[in-house]
Amino acid sequence: MTETNSLPPPSRDLCATMLVHRRLLNESMSYRAHRRTIENRAMQYEAGRVTPETSDVVTIPVVVHVVHNPAVPEQNISNEQIQSQMRVLNEDFRAANGDVGKVPEVWRRLVADARIEFRLADRDPEGEPTGGIVRVETDRQGFSWDDGVKSARTGGSDAWPADRYLNMWVCALTGGLLGYAQFPGGPPDTDGVVVLNKAFGTTGLAAPPFDGGRTATHEIGHWLDLYHIWGDDDGACSSDDKVDDTPKQGDANTGRPTFPHISCGNGPNGDMFMNYMDYTDDVAMFMFTHGQSTRMRACLEGARASFSVAGAPRAAEPPAEPVTEAVPVMRASEQDGEMERLLHDGERLTRELLREIHTALGLVNERTAGRS
C-alpha cells in the first residue's frame, strides 16, 4: 500500500467549498431554502436595514478530529500544532495578527475586528470533561471533498452536535486540496471545516507556503457565510462576494502578489489579495473587512445563533436532508442567478417545509396520546 506521506506537499491553495455548495444546491431543496433565508438576512445587514443585536465577543467551542493513518505516524499531529492553529484563529478574527500592519494604507480603515474567538471544547456532548481533541485511526490513504472524513462508517470521525461545536477535521487530503467548509444551512452531520494536516497550524507537520494557519482562517470564513472574494465566476468579472467594501476582482490570486494588482477595471488600488478569502500564500493574507465582519455577525445572529447565547445552545434549524425526488442540476455559471431567484420564491419552499414539520409533530402527538 502506498503511504499517504508519499503524496506531494501542498503546492496551491485549492478550496473545495464551492464544489460542496453546488452539490448541496443540486441535491437538496431544503438546503436551497435555508440558503435563501440566510442570504436574505445577510443582505439586510449589509444594507443597514438590520443592525447587529450586540457587539459582544462570541466564543465558539471547537472540536478537532485528528484522523490519521497509523502507517504514517506524523499524521497524528501534536497538541502543540493544534494549539498553534487556535492561536492564529484568535489573532486573525480579532485583527490582532502581527502582520496586519502590512495592509496597504488605502485599506487600513477597512480592517475589522470580527469579535469572534475560538477555544477547544472543555465538555463533550455528554457533558464529560474533554480536551476538545478526538484522535481516530483510519486505513484510508487520504480523503477528498466528498465528506468521507466526517463519518466513522467511511473511515473518518463522526461530527459532534453542530449547534454546539465547530467541528474541524484534520487529515490527509488528496488532489492538492488544502481544505473545504460547509456553508451554514447544510446537513448537521457534515457541518464544519476540513483542513489538510500539512496546512494546519504553524508547527509540526505544517509545511510552507501554507504553514501560517491561514487555511483554517479561510475555511472558517466560509463556515461563517463568507464567499471567495472574487465571486467564483472564473474571471468573468460578473459576480462578487456580496460584500460592498471588498473590490470586485477577476479571479483568485495565488502566491505573493505585488500591490497594486489590477483586474476587472478596479484600479487604482486593484485586488484586495491580502484578504483571508483570497487564495494567496499564508504570509500574504492578513485581513477581514468591516463588511465581511457584518456578514459573519448576521450569520451568528441567524443560522448559527446557537453560538451567540452565552454557551447555551438554541434548538437547531431543521436538518437540510437531501430530497428524494429529482432536483434539476445547475451549472456553476447559473449559481448566482439561481440564488437571486431563491430570494423571491423561497417563501413557498419555506411554507412547504413548515407544513411538513407540523404534520410530523402532529403524528408524534397522536402516537403519544395513543400510548397514554
Side-chain angles (χ1 to χ4, degrees):
M1 180 176 68
T2 303
E3 292 187 352
T4 308
N5 198 44
S6 65
L7 294 171
S11 59
R12 60 177 300 210
D13 193 352
L14 180 59
C15 165
T17 297
M18 291 305 292
L19 297 175
V20 173
H21 174 57
R22 289 162 181 157
R23 171 174 57 79
L24 289 172
L25 285 174
N26 286 327
E27 290 177 350
S28 173
M29 291 288 284
S30 56
Y31 179 71
R32 294 190 194 183
H34 284 307
R35 288 303 304 164
R36 189 277 312 167
T37 301
I38 292 164
E39 190 58 43
N40 184 61
R41 185 183 188 92
M43 291 172 63
Q44 296 292 320
Y45 277 64
E46 174 74 19
R49 290 190 286 270
V50 177
T51 57
E53 298 173 6
T54 177
S55 60
D56 292 349
V57 174
V58 176
T59 301
I60 297 177
V62 177
V63 54
V64 177
H65 304 260
V66 181
V67 182
H68 60 99
N69 189 322
V72 190
E74 58 266 34
Q75 288 186 5
N76 191 13
I77 63 172
S78 67
N79 288 356
E80 180 184 8
Q81 184 173 346
I82 295 169
Q83 290 290 352
S84 74
Q85 180 63 74
M86 300 300 294
R87 175 184 56 77
V88 170
L89 293 176
N90 286 320
E91 291 174 352
D92 289 353
F93 281 85
R94 294 303 311 273
N97 47 304
D99 49 7
V100 70
K102 296 179 182 179
V103 174
E105 180 66 32
V106 294
W107 288 322
R108 287 183 186 174
R109 63 182 176 80
L110 298 179
V111 173
D113 173 0
R115 302 187 66 75
I116 301 170
E117 296 181 355
F118 305 84
R119 63 171 174 82
L120 290 172
D122 55 16
R123 295 283 173 180
D124 69 13
E126 286 71 46
E128 298 298 322
T130 180
I133 302 171
V134 177
R135 298 181 182 276
V136 173
E137 293 186 358
T138 185
D139 60 0
R140 296 278 297 268
Q141 296 183 36
F143 295 89
S144 184
W145 55 273
D146 60 0
D147 291 335
V149 72
K150 301 176 182 179
S151 171
R153 181 177 56 83
T154 51
S157 178
D158 293 334
W160 286 15
D163 62 335
R164 296 165 58 191
Y165 305 93
L166 163 56
N167 287 277
M168 299 182 69
W169 288 270
V170 183
C171 62
L173 290 171
T174 59
L177 189 64
L178 288 188
Y180 67 95
Q182 182 173 292
F183 282 121
D189 57 347
T190 54
D191 193 22
V193 306
V194 180
V195 180
L196 174 70
N197 48 29
K198 294 182 180 180
F200 190 80
T202 63
T203 187
L205 201 59
F210 307 116
D211 57 348
R214 265 58 193 271
T215 297
T217 300
H218 176 103
E219 299 304 343
I220 292 174
H222 287 312
W223 184 79
L224 289 168
D225 203 32
L226 296 185
Y227 288 102
H228 289 136
I229 193 170
W230 67 93
D232 291 280
D233 62 359
D234 298 321
C237 297
S238 61
S239 186
D240 59 22
D241 62 351
K242 307 183 190 303
V243 175
D244 284 345
D245 63 2
T246 58
K248 182 173 286 189
Q249 71 181 52
D251 210 338
N253 288 288
T254 58
R256 306 178 189 185
T258 301
F259 176 81
H261 182 266
I262 297 172
S263 67
C264 288
N266 62 7
N269 300 323
D271 299 350
M272 191 183 280
F273 57 78
M274 68 294 305
N275 193 283
Y276 294 125
M277 302 313 294
D278 209 334
Y279 267 8
T280 52
D281 291 351
D282 281 15
V283 297
M285 54 171 61
F286 18 79
M287 71 175 291
F288 288 120
T289 68
H290 290 292
Q292 289 174 315
S293 178
T294 297
R295 187 176 174 91
M296 288 189 279
R297 185 63 57 162
C299 177
L300 286 169
E301 294 181 359
R304 301 207 184 280
S306 59
F307 293 98
S308 301
V309 189
R314 295 180 185 172
E317 292 186 15
E321 295 294 340
V323 294
T324 55
E325 68 268 22
V327 179
V329 175
M330 293 177 290
R331 296 184 298 273
S333 60
E334 297 173 327
Q335 299 302 317
D336 288 329
E338 176 64 15
M339 290 305 297
E340 291 300 322
R341 185 187 66 77
L342 289 173
L343 290 175
H344 298 289
D345 69 3
E347 292 183 2
R348 175 181 58 81
L349 296 173
T350 302
R351 286 195 297 269
E352 291 176 2
L353 286 170
L354 288 174
R355 282 197 296 270
E356 291 175 5
I357 292 170
H358 291 160
T359 300
L361 289 173
L363 291 173
V364 172
N365 290 335
E366 290 175 8
R367 291 171 183 170
T368 302
R371 290 195 298 267
S372 60

